[in-house]
Amino acid sequence: TFYINPNDETKTLVINEVAINEPKYQLSSTANSDKNTLEAHSDSVLSGTLNFNAGENIIILDGQAKNYRGLEGDDTYFVSQLLPKSGKVSITDTEGTNTIQIPYNTYVDKTLFTKNAARLTLEDGREITINSADKFSYNVGGNVTDGTAGVDLTYTEFATTFGVSDILNSSGAQTGAIPDMYII
């Protein structure tokens, strides 16, 4: 049984009379001081492409390459402030069921969406271009490294989070109307 309380933003799942609250996420102009904020450990992005194997990889965008390319397998791309300041990288993965995970306390400066690509600009000019973005799912507020679940969204739901509607039927690029926010 699934209940939605209209006075509460959480969804409540009831199994055998035991309520389980599903995780939620929010956008905020300030970071959540109860959680860590990730920081880069290098000053620049290395050139080249990192090709991963056919396994189910956890791929952390941290400046090890300009291009991150998954192969077969269901991969998770961890997108955060671990990327060096002003770093510009791209993600290409057309095989498997893949996820872009954006952990809590990630500052999203601006977004740009087309029907099949997205560009996220994080704090300090960190820019991530996602090719075939409509084929990915988006986990918002989760953190695979510490077990935080987050909320899974489709590409359309993810674009809507930043104020872009009906992106799959759009003929051009749309800038997100909701900039300068932390995911908490």
Side-chain angles (χ1 to χ4, degrees), residues 105-126:
N105 281 351
T106 298
Y107 183 83
V108 180
D109 189 28
K110 61 184 173 181
T111 56
L112 180 68
F113 295 92
T114 69
K115 63 182 171 185
N116 61 3
R119 178 168 293 145
L120 308 177
T121 303
L122 307 183
E123 186 175 40
D124 294 322
R126 296 166 172 95

Side-chain angles (χ1 to χ4, degrees), residues 52-60 70-77 93 95-99 144:
F52 289 83
N53 63 28
E56 295 183 0
N57 297 292
I58 298 170
I59 302 167
I60 299 174
L71 299 173
E72 295 174 18
D74 301 337
D75 301 319
T76 299
Y77 293 83
D93 195 335
E95 300 291 325
T97 304
N98 302 302
T99 302
V144 69

Side-chain angles (χ1 to χ4, degrees), residues 119-139:
R119 178 168 293 145
L120 308 177
T121 303
L122 307 183
E123 186 175 40
D124 294 322
R126 296 166 172 95
E127 189 176 280
I128 300 96
T129 300
I130 306 164
N131 299 298
S132 300
D134 57 319
K135 306 293 186 225
F136 286 82
S137 65
Y138 295 81
N139 180 275

Side-chain angles (χ1 to χ4, degrees), residues 61-74:
L61 280 65
D62 62 358
Q64 297 283 328
K66 286 197 178 288
N67 304 300
Y68 293 82
R69 187 172 159 255
L71 299 173
E72 295 174 18
D74 301 337

